[in-house]
Amino acid sequence: MNPIIEQLVIQKMNQITPAELYQYARQYSIPVTKQQAENVAMRVQNKNINVFQPAGQKQLRLILDEEIGPELAESLQKQFEQLAKGF
């Protein structure tokens, strides 16, 4: 993975607002509530989670499992893996 893209993704996750996360979810037809988006955003902000590394993936997956449920979290993980393969 390109280190510049990795850094941009990490930076965006550190700064994402609940409204932005909810808008992205709607844009990509991810069925989450505003409250769920707020909870996820608050838990990932300023955490420097590197989703391109196994430890970061595990950390994010635990957050998503708790906030949106394991089935949707697994679906998002698979989508992310497909997206990451494209880079």
Coordinates of all heavy atoms in Angstrom, one line a residue:
M1 N 0.8 -1.2 0.0 CA 0.0 0.0 0.0 C 0.9 1.2 0.0 O 1.9 1.3 0.7 CB -0.9 0.0 1.2 CG -1.8 1.2 1.4 SD -3.0 1.6 0.2 CE -4.0 0.2 0.1
N2 N 0.5 2.2 -0.7 CA 1.2 3.5 -0.8 C 1.2 4.2 0.5 O 0.1 4.4 1.1 CB 0.5 4.3 -1.9 CG 1.2 5.7 -2.1 OD1 1.7 6.3 -1.2 ND2 1.2 6.1 -3.4
P3 N 2.3 4.5 1.1 CA 2.4 5.1 2.4 C 1.6 6.5 2.5 O 1.1 6.8 3.5 CB 3.9 5.3 2.7 CG 4.6 4.7 1.6 CD 3.7 4.3 0.5
I4 N 1.6 7.2 1.4 CA 0.9 8.5 1.4 C -0.6 8.2 1.6 O -1.3 8.9 2.3 CB 1.2 9.3 0.1 CG1 2.7 9.7 0.1 CG2 0.3 10.5 0.0 CD1 3.1 10.3 -1.2
I5 N -1.2 7.2 0.9 CA -2.6 6.9 1.0 C -2.9 6.4 2.4 O -3.9 6.8 3.0 CB -3.0 5.9 -0.1 CG1 -2.9 6.5 -1.5 CG2 -4.4 5.4 0.2 CD1 -3.2 5.6 -2.6
E6 N -2.0 5.6 2.9 CA -2.2 5.1 4.3 C -2.3 6.3 5.3 O -3.2 6.3 6.1 CB -1.0 4.2 4.7 CG -1.1 2.8 4.1 CD 0.0 1.9 4.7 OE1 0.5 2.1 5.8 OE2 0.3 0.9 4.0
Q7 N -1.4 7.2 5.1 CA -1.3 8.4 6.0 C -2.6 9.2 5.9 O -3.1 9.7 6.9 CB -0.1 9.2 5.8 CG 0.1 10.3 6.9 CD 0.3 9.7 8.3 OE1 0.9 8.6 8.5 NE2 -0.3 10.3 9.2
L8 N -3.1 9.4 4.7 CA -4.3 10.2 4.5 C -5.5 9.5 5.1 O -6.3 10.2 5.7 CB -4.5 10.4 3.0 CG -3.6 11.3 2.3 CD1 -3.8 11.3 0.7 CD2 -3.7 12.8 2.8
V9 N -5.6 8.2 5.0 CA -6.7 7.5 5.6 C -6.6 7.6 7.1 O -7.7 7.8 7.8 CB -6.7 6.0 5.1 CG1 -7.7 5.2 5.9 CG2 -7.0 5.9 3.6
I10 N -5.5 7.4 7.7 CA -5.3 7.5 9.1 C -5.7 8.9 9.6 O -6.4 9.1 10.6 CB -3.9 7.1 9.6 CG1 -3.6 5.6 9.3 CG2 -3.6 7.4 11.0 CD1 -2.2 5.2 9.4
Q11 N -5.2 9.9 8.9 CA -5.5 11.3 9.2 C -7.0 11.5 9.2 O -7.5 12.2 10.1 CB -4.7 12.2 8.3 CG -5.0 13.7 8.6 CD -4.1 14.6 7.7 OE1 -3.4 14.1 6.9 NE2 -4.4 15.9 7.8
K12 N -7.6 11.0 8.1 CA -9.1 11.3 8.0 C -9.8 10.6 9.1 O -10.8 11.2 9.7 CB -9.6 10.7 6.7 CG -11.0 11.0 6.4 CD -11.3 12.5 6.4 CE -12.8 12.8 6.2 NZ -13.0 14.3 6.3
M13 N -9.4 9.4 9.5 CA -10.1 8.7 10.6 C -9.9 9.4 11.9 O -10.8 9.5 12.7 CB -9.5 7.3 10.7 CG -10.1 6.3 9.7 SD -9.5 4.6 9.9 CE -10.0 4.2 11.5
N14 N -8.7 10.0 12.1 CA -8.5 10.8 13.3 C -9.3 12.0 13.4 O -9.6 12.5 14.5 CB -7.0 11.2 13.4 CG -6.1 10.1 13.8 OD1 -6.5 9.2 14.5 ND2 -4.8 10.2 13.4
Q15 N -9.7 12.6 12.3 CA -10.5 13.8 12.3 C -11.9 13.7 11.9 O -12.6 14.8 11.8 CB -9.8 14.8 11.3 CG -8.3 15.1 11.7 CD -7.6 15.9 10.7 OE1 -8.1 16.2 9.6 NE2 -6.4 16.4 11.1
I16 N -12.4 12.5 11.6 CA -13.8 12.4 11.1 C -14.8 12.8 12.1 O -14.7 12.6 13.3 CB -14.0 11.0 10.6 CG1 -15.3 11.0 9.7 CG2 -14.2 10.0 11.8 CD1 -15.3 9.9 8.7
T17 N -15.8 13.5 11.7 CA -16.9 13.9 12.5 C -18.0 12.9 12.4 O -18.1 12.2 11.4 CB -17.4 15.3 12.2 OG1 -18.0 15.2 10.9 CG2 -16.3 16.4 12.2
P18 N -18.9 12.9 13.4 CA -20.1 12.0 13.3 C -20.9 12.3 12.0 O -21.4 11.3 11.3 CB -20.9 12.2 14.5 CG -19.8 12.7 15.5 CD -18.8 13.5 14.7
A19 N -21.1 13.5 11.7 CA -21.9 13.9 10.5 C -21.2 13.4 9.2 O -21.9 12.9 8.3 CB -22.1 15.4 10.5
E20 N -19.9 13.5 9.1 CA -19.2 13.0 8.0 C -19.3 11.5 7.8 O -19.6 11.0 6.7 CB -17.7 13.4 8.0 CG -17.4 14.8 7.8 CD -15.9 15.1 8.0 OE1 -15.3 14.7 9.0 OE2 -15.3 15.7 7.1
L21 N -19.1 10.8 8.9 CA -19.2 9.4 8.9 C -20.6 8.9 8.5 O -20.8 8.0 7.7 CB -18.8 8.8 10.3 CG -18.7 7.3 10.3 CD1 -17.8 6.7 9.3 CD2 -18.3 6.8 11.7
Y22 N -21.6 9.6 9.0 CA -23.0 9.2 8.7 C -23.2 9.5 7.2 O -23.9 8.7 6.5 CB -24.0 10.0 9.6 CG -25.4 9.6 9.3 CD1 -25.9 8.4 9.6 CD2 -26.3 10.5 8.7 CE1 -27.2 8.0 9.4 CE2 -27.6 10.2 8.5 CZ -28.0 8.9 8.8 OH -29.4 8.5 8.6
Q23 N -22.7 10.6 6.7 CA -22.9 10.9 5.3 C -22.2 9.9 4.4 O -22.7 9.5 3.4 CB -22.3 12.3 5.0 CG -22.5 12.8 3.5 CD -23.9 12.8 3.1 OE1 -24.8 13.2 3.9 NE2 -24.2 12.4 1.9
Y24 N -21.0 9.5 4.8 CA -20.3 8.4 4.0 C -21.1 7.1 4.1 O -21.2 6.4 3.0 CB -18.9 8.1 4.6 CG -17.9 9.2 4.3 CD1 -17.0 9.6 5.3 CD2 -17.7 9.6 3.0 CE1 -16.1 10.6 5.0 CE2 -16.7 10.6 2.7 CZ -15.9 11.1 3.7 OH -15.0 12.0 3.4
A25 N -21.7 6.8 5.2 CA -22.5 5.6 5.3 C -23.7 5.6 4.4 O -24.0 4.7 3.7 CB -22.9 5.4 6.8
R26 N -24.3 6.8 4.3 CA -25.5 6.9 3.4 C -25.0 6.9 2.0 O -25.7 6.3 1.2 CB -26.2 8.3 3.7 CG -26.8 8.2 5.1 CD -27.8 9.3 5.3 NE -28.8 9.2 4.3 CZ -29.8 10.1 4.1 NH1 -29.8 11.1 4.9 NH2 -30.6 10.0 3.1
Q27 N -23.9 7.5 1.7 CA -23.4 7.5 0.3 C -23.1 6.1 -0.2 O -23.4 5.8 -1.4 CB -22.1 8.4 0.3 CG -21.5 8.5 -1.1 CD -20.2 9.3 -1.1 OE1 -20.0 10.1 -0.1 NE2 -19.4 9.2 -2.1
Y28 N -22.6 5.3 0.7 CA -22.3 3.9 0.3 C -23.3 2.9 0.7 O -23.0 1.7 0.8 CB -20.9 3.5 0.8 CG -19.8 4.4 0.1 CD1 -19.2 5.5 0.8 CD2 -19.4 4.1 -1.2 CE1 -18.3 6.3 0.2 CE2 -18.5 4.9 -1.8 CZ -17.9 6.0 -1.1 OH -17.0 6.8 -1.7
S29 N -24.5 3.3 1.1 CA -25.6 2.5 1.5 C -25.3 1.5 2.6 O -25.6 0.3 2.5 CB -26.1 1.7 0.2 OG -26.5 2.6 -0.8
I30 N -24.6 2.0 3.6 CA -24.3 1.2 4.8 C -25.4 1.6 5.8 O -25.5 2.7 6.2 CB -22.9 1.6 5.3 CG1 -21.9 1.3 4.2 CG2 -22.6 0.8 6.6 CD1 -20.5 1.8 4.5
P31 N -26.1 0.5 6.3 CA -27.3 0.8 7.1 C -26.9 1.0 8.6 O -26.9 0.1 9.4 CB -28.1 -0.5 7.0 CG -27.1 -1.6 6.7 CD -26.0 -0.9 5.9
V32 N -26.5 2.3 8.9 CA -26.2 2.6 10.3 C -27.1 3.8 10.7 O -27.5 4.6 9.8 CB -24.7 3.0 10.5 CG1 -23.8 1.8 10.3 CG2 -24.3 4.2 9.7
T33 N -27.3 4.0 11.9 CA -28.1 5.1 12.4 C -27.1 6.3 12.7 O -25.9 6.1 12.8 CB -28.8 4.8 13.7 OG1 -27.8 4.5 14.8 CG2 -29.7 3.5 13.6
K34 N -27.7 7.4 12.9 CA -26.9 8.6 13.3 C -26.2 8.3 14.6 O -25.0 8.7 14.7 CB -27.7 9.9 13.4 CG -28.2 10.4 12.0 CD -29.0 11.7 12.2 CE -29.4 12.2 10.8 NZ -30.1 13.5 10.9
Q35 N -26.8 7.7 15.5 CA -26.2 7.4 16.8 C -25.1 6.5 16.7 O -24.0 6.7 17.3 CB -27.3 6.8 17.8 CG -26.7 6.6 19.2 CD -26.3 7.9 19.8 OE1 -27.0 8.9 19.9 NE2 -25.1 8.0 20.4
Q36 N -25.2 5.4 15.8 CA -24.1 4.5 15.6 C -22.9 5.2 15.0 O -21.8 5.0 15.4 CB -24.6 3.3 14.7 CG -25.5 2.4 15.4 CD -26.1 1.4 14.5 OE1 -26.5 1.7 13.4 NE2 -26.2 0.1 14.9
A37 N -23.2 6.1 14.0 CA -22.1 6.8 13.3 C -21.4 7.7 14.3 O -20.2 7.8 14.3 CB -22.7 7.6 12.2
E38 N -22.2 8.3 15.2 CA -21.6 9.2 16.2 C -20.7 8.4 17.2 O -19.6 8.8 17.5 CB -22.7 9.9 17.0 CG -22.1 10.8 18.1 CD -23.2 11.6 18.8 OE1 -24.2 11.9 18.2 OE2 -22.9 12.0 20.0
N39 N -21.2 7.2 17.6 CA -20.4 6.4 18.5 C -19.1 5.9 17.9 O -18.1 6.0 18.5 CB -21.2 5.2 19.0 CG -22.4 5.6 19.8 OD1 -22.5 6.7 20.3 ND2 -23.3 4.6 20.0
V40 N -19.2 5.5 16.6 CA -18.0 5.0 15.9 C -17.0 6.2 15.8 O -15.8 6.0 16.1 CB -18.3 4.4 14.6 CG1 -17.0 4.1 13.8 CG2 -19.1 3.1 14.8
A41 N -17.5 7.3 15.3 CA -16.6 8.5 15.1 C -15.9 8.9 16.3 O -14.7 9.1 16.3 CB -17.4 9.6 14.5
M42 N -16.6 8.9 17.4 CA -16.0 9.3 18.7 C -15.0 8.3 19.2 O -14.0 8.7 19.8 CB -17.1 9.5 19.8 CG -18.1 10.6 19.5 SD -17.2 12.1 19.0 CE -18.0 13.3 20.0
R43 N -15.1 7.1 18.8 CA -14.2 6.0 19.3 C -12.9 5.9 18.4 O -11.9 5.4 18.9 CB -14.9 4.7 19.4 CG -15.9 4.7 20.5 CD -16.5 3.4 20.8 NE -15.5 2.4 21.2 CZ -15.8 1.1 21.4 NH1 -17.1 0.7 21.2 NH2 -14.9 0.3 21.8
V44 N -13.0 6.4 17.2 CA -11.8 6.3 16.3 C -11.1 7.6 16.2 O -9.9 7.6 15.8 CB -12.2 5.8 14.9 CG1 -12.8 4.5 14.9 CG2 -13.0 6.8 14.1
Q45 N -11.7 8.7 16.6 CA -11.0 10.0 16.5 C -9.7 10.0 17.4 O -9.8 9.6 18.6 CB -11.9 11.2 17.0 CG -13.0 11.5 16.0 CD -13.9 12.6 16.6 OE1 -14.0 12.9 17.8 NE2 -14.7 13.2 15.7
N46 N -8.7 10.5 16.8 CA -7.4 10.7 17.5 C -6.8 9.4 18.1 O -6.1 9.5 19.1 CB -7.5 11.8 18.6 CG -8.0 13.1 18.1 OD1 -7.4 13.6 17.1 ND2 -9.0 13.7 18.7
K47 N -7.1 8.3 17.5 CA -6.6 7.0 18.0 C -5.4 6.5 17.1 O -4.8 5.5 17.4 CB -7.7 6.0 18.0 CG -8.8 6.2 19.0 CD -8.4 6.0 20.4 CE -9.4 5.9 21.4 NZ -10.2 7.0 21.8
N48 N -5.2 7.1 15.9 CA -4.2 6.7 15.0 C -4.3 5.2 14.6 O -3.3 4.5 14.6 CB -2.8 7.0 15.5 CG -2.5 8.5 15.6 OD1 -2.8 9.2 14.6 ND2 -1.9 9.0 16.6
I49 N -5.5 4.8 14.4 CA -5.7 3.4 14.0 C -5.2 3.2 12.5 O -5.8 3.8 11.6 CB -7.2 3.0 14.1 CG1 -7.6 3.2 15.6 CG2 -7.4 1.6 13.7 CD1 -9.1 3.0 15.8
N50 N -4.3 2.3 12.3 CA -3.8 2.0 11.0 C -4.5 0.8 10.5 O -4.1 -0.3 10.8 CB -2.3 1.8 11.0 CG -1.7 1.6 9.6 OD1 -2.5 1.3 8.6 ND2 -0.4 1.7 9.4
V51 N -5.5 1.0 9.7 CA -6.4 -0.1 9.2 C -5.7 -0.9 8.2 O -6.2 -1.9 7.7 CB -7.7 0.4 8.7 CG1 -8.5 1.0 9.8 CG2 -7.5 1.4 7.6
F52 N -4.4 -0.6 7.8 CA -3.7 -1.3 6.8 C -2.7 -2.3 7.5 O -2.0 -3.1 6.9 CB -2.9 -0.4 5.9 CG -3.7 0.6 5.2 CD1 -3.9 1.9 5.6 CD2 -4.4 0.1 4.1 CE1 -4.8 2.7 4.9 CE2 -5.3 1.0 3.4 CZ -5.4 2.3 3.8
Q53 N -2.7 -2.3 8.8 CA -1.9 -3.3 9.6 C -2.9 -4.2 10.4 O -4.0 -3.7 10.9 CB -1.0 -2.5 10.6 CG 0.0 -1.6 9.9 CD 1.0 -2.4 9.1 OE1 1.4 -3.5 9.5 NE2 1.3 -1.9 7.9
P54 N -2.5 -5.4 10.7 CA -3.4 -6.4 11.4 C -3.9 -5.8 12.8 O -5.0 -6.0 13.1 CB -2.6 -7.6 11.5 CG -1.6 -7.6 10.4 CD -1.3 -6.1 10.2
A55 N -3.0 -5.2 13.5 CA -3.4 -4.7 14.8 C -4.5 -3.6 14.7 O -5.4 -3.6 15.5 CB -2.2 -4.2 15.6
G56 N -4.3 -2.8 13.8 CA -5.3 -1.7 13.5 C -6.6 -2.2 13.0 O -7.7 -1.7 13.4
Q57 N -6.5 -3.2 12.2 CA -7.8 -3.9 11.7 C -8.5 -4.5 12.8 O -9.7 -4.4 12.9 CB -7.4 -4.9 10.6 CG -6.9 -4.3 9.3 CD -6.3 -5.3 8.4 OE1 -6.3 -6.5 8.7 NE2 -5.8 -4.9 7.3
K58 N -7.8 -5.2 13.7 CA -8.4 -5.8 14.9 C -9.1 -4.8 15.8 O -10.2 -4.9 16.2 CB -7.4 -6.6 15.6 CG -8.0 -7.4 16.8 CD -7.0 -8.3 17.5 CE -7.6 -9.0 18.6 NZ -6.6 -9.8 19.3
Q59 N -8.3 -3.7 16.0 CA -8.9 -2.6 16.9 C -10.1 -2.0 16.3 O -11.1 -1.8 17.0 CB -7.8 -1.5 17.1 CG -8.2 -0.5 18.0 CD -7.0 0.6 18.2 OE1 -6.0 0.5 17.5 NE2 -7.2 1.5 19.1
L60 N -10.1 -1.7 15.0 CA -11.3 -1.1 14.4 C -12.4 -2.2 14.4 O -13.6 -1.8 14.6 CB -11.0 -0.7 13.0 CG -12.2 0.0 12.2 CD1 -12.7 1.2 13.0 CD2 -11.7 0.3 10.8
R61 N -12.1 -3.4 14.1 CA -13.2 -4.4 14.0 C -13.9 -4.6 15.4 O -15.1 -4.7 15.5 CB -12.6 -5.8 13.6 CG -13.5 -6.9 13.6 CD -14.6 -6.7 12.6 NE -15.7 -7.7 12.7 CZ -15.8 -8.8 12.0 NH1 -14.9 -9.1 11.1 NH2 -16.8 -9.6 12.3
L62 N -13.1 -4.5 16.5 CA -13.7 -4.6 17.8 C -14.7 -3.4 18.1 O -15.8 -3.6 18.6 CB -12.7 -4.6 18.9 CG -11.8 -5.9 19.0 CD1 -10.7 -5.7 20.0 CD2 -12.7 -7.1 19.4
I63 N -14.3 -2.2 17.6 CA -15.1 -1.0 17.8 C -16.4 -1.2 17.0 O -17.5 -1.0 17.4 CB -14.4 0.2 17.3 CG1 -13.3 0.6 18.3 CG2 -15.4 1.4 17.2 CD1 -12.3 1.7 17.8
L64 N -16.3 -1.7 15.7 CA -17.4 -1.8 14.8 C -18.3 -3.0 15.3 O -19.6 -2.8 15.3 CB -17.0 -2.1 13.4 CG -16.3 -1.0 12.7 CD1 -15.8 -1.4 11.3 CD2 -17.2 0.3 12.6
D65 N -17.7 -4.1 15.8 CA -18.6 -5.1 16.4 C -19.5 -4.6 17.5 O -20.6 -4.9 17.6 CB -17.7 -6.3 16.9 CG -17.1 -7.2 15.9 OD1 -17.5 -7.1 14.7 OD2 -16.2 -8.0 16.2
E66 N -18.9 -3.8 18.4 CA -19.6 -3.3 19.5 C -20.7 -2.3 19.1 O -21.7 -2.2 19.7 CB -18.7 -2.7 20.5 CG -17.8 -3.7 21.2 CD -16.7 -3.1 22.1 OE1 -16.7 -1.8 22.2 OE2 -15.9 -3.9 22.6
E67 N -20.3 -1.4 18.1 CA -21.2 -0.3 17.8 C -22.3 -0.6 16.7 O -23.4 -0.1 16.8 CB -20.4 0.9 17.4 CG -19.5 1.4 18.5 CD -20.2 1.9 19.7 OE1 -21.4 2.2 19.7 OE2 -19.5 2.0 20.8
I68 N -21.9 -1.5 15.8 CA -22.9 -1.7 14.7 C -23.2 -3.2 14.5 O -24.1 -3.5 13.7 CB -22.4 -1.1 13.3 CG1 -21.1 -1.8 12.9 CG2 -22.2 0.4 13.4 CD1 -20.6 -1.4 11.5
G69 N -22.6 -4.0 15.3 CA -22.9 -5.5 15.2 C -21.9 -6.2 14.3 O -21.3 -5.7 13.4
P70 N -21.6 -7.5 14.7 CA -20.6 -8.3 14.0 C -20.9 -8.6 12.5 O -20.0 -8.6 11.7 CB -20.5 -9.5 14.8 CG -21.6 -9.6 15.8 CD -22.2 -8.2 15.8
E71 N -22.2 -8.7 12.2 CA -22.5 -9.1 10.8 C -22.2 -7.9 9.9 O -21.5 -8.1 8.8 CB -24.0 -9.4 10.7 CG -24.3 -10.8 11.3 CD -25.8 -11.1 11.2 OE1 -26.5 -10.4 10.5 OE2 -26.2 -12.1 11.8
L72 N -22.6 -6.7 10.2 CA -22.3 -5.5 9.4 C -20.8 -5.2 9.4 O -20.2 -4.9 8.4 CB -23.1 -4.3 9.8 CG -22.9 -3.1 9.0 CD1 -23.2 -3.3 7.5 CD2 -23.9 -2.0 9.5
A73 N -20.2 -5.4 10.6 CA -18.7 -5.2 10.7 C -18.0 -6.1 9.8 O -17.0 -5.7 9.1 CB -18.3 -5.4 12.1
E74 N -18.4 -7.4 9.7 CA -17.7 -8.3 8.8 C -17.9 -7.9 7.3 O -17.0 -8.0 6.6 CB -18.3 -9.7 9.0 CG -17.6 -10.8 8.2 CD -18.0 -12.2 8.5 OE1 -18.7 -12.4 9.5 OE2 -17.7 -13.1 7.7
S75 N -19.1 -7.5 7.0 CA -19.3 -7.1 5.6 C -18.5 -5.9 5.3 O -17.9 -5.8 4.2 CB -20.8 -6.7 5.5 OG -21.1 -6.1 4.2
L76 N -18.4 -4.9 6.2 CA -17.5 -3.7 5.9 C -16.0 -4.1 5.8 O -15.3 -3.6 5.0 CB -17.7 -2.7 7.0 CG -19.1 -2.0 7.0 CD1 -19.2 -1.1 8.2 CD2 -19.3 -1.3 5.8
Q77 N -15.6 -5.1 6.6 CA -14.2 -5.5 6.6 C -13.9 -6.1 5.2 O -12.9 -5.8 4.6 CB -14.0 -6.5 7.7 CG -12.5 -7.0 7.7 CD -12.3 -8.0 8.8 OE1 -13.1 -8.2 9.7 NE2 -11.1 -8.5 8.8
K78 N -14.8 -6.9 4.7 CA -14.6 -7.6 3.4 C -14.6 -6.5 2.3 O -13.8 -6.6 1.4 CB -15.7 -8.6 3.1 CG -15.6 -9.8 3.9 CD -16.7 -10.8 3.7 CE -16.5 -12.0 4.6 NZ -17.7 -13.0 4.4
Q79 N -15.5 -5.5 2.4 CA -15.5 -4.4 1.4 C -14.2 -3.6 1.4 O -13.6 -3.3 0.4 CB -16.7 -3.5 1.6 CG -18.0 -4.1 1.3 CD -19.1 -3.1 1.6 OE1 -19.0 -1.9 1.7 NE2 -20.3 -3.7 1.8
F80 N -13.7 -3.4 2.6 CA -12.4 -2.7 2.8 C -11.2 -3.5 2.2 O -10.4 -2.9 1.5 CB -12.1 -2.3 4.2 CG -10.8 -1.7 4.4 CD1 -10.6 -0.3 4.1 CD2 -9.7 -2.4 4.9 CE1 -9.4 0.3 4.2 CE2 -8.4 -1.8 5.0 CZ -8.3 -0.4 4.7
E81 N -11.2 -4.8 2.4 CA -10.2 -5.6 1.9 C -10.2 -5.6 0.4 O -9.1 -5.5 -0.3 CB -10.3 -7.0 2.4 CG -10.0 -7.2 3.9 CD -10.4 -8.5 4.4 OE1 -11.0 -9.4 3.7 OE2 -10.1 -8.8 5.6
Q82 N -11.4 -5.6 -0.2 CA -11.4 -5.5 -1.7 C -10.9 -4.1 -2.2 O -10.2 -4.0 -3.2 CB -12.9 -5.7 -2.2 CG -13.4 -7.1 -2.0 CD -12.5 -8.1 -2.8 OE1 -12.2 -7.9 -4.0 NE2 -12.2 -9.3 -2.2
L83 N -11.3 -3.1 -1.5 CA -10.9 -1.7 -1.8 C -9.4 -1.6 -1.7 O -8.7 -1.1 -2.6 CB -11.6 -0.7 -1.0 CG -11.2 0.8 -1.2 CD1 -11.6 1.2 -2.5 CD2 -11.8 1.6 -0.1
A84 N -8.8 -2.1 -0.6 CA -7.4 -2.0 -0.4 C -6.6 -2.8 -1.4 O -5.5 -2.4 -1.8 CB -7.0 -2.5 1.0
K85 N -7.1 -3.9 -2.0 CA -6.4 -4.6 -3.0 C -6.2 -3.8 -4.3 O -5.3 -4.0 -5.0 CB -7.2 -5.9 -3.3 CG -7.0 -7.0 -2.3 CD -7.8 -8.2 -2.6 CE -7.8 -9.2 -1.5 NZ -8.6 -10.4 -1.9
G86 N -7.1 -2.8 -4.5 CA -7.1 -2.0 -5.7 C -6.0 -1.0 -5.7 O -5.7 -0.3 -6.7
F87 N -5.3 -0.8 -4.5 CA -4.3 0.2 -4.4 C -2.9 -0.4 -4.5 O -2.3 -1.0 -4.0 CB -4.4 1.1 -3.1 CG -5.5 2.0 -3.1 CD1 -6.7 1.7 -2.5 CD2 -5.4 3.2 -3.8 CE1 -7.8 2.6 -2.5 CE2 -6.5 4.1 -3.8 CZ -7.7 3.8 -3.2

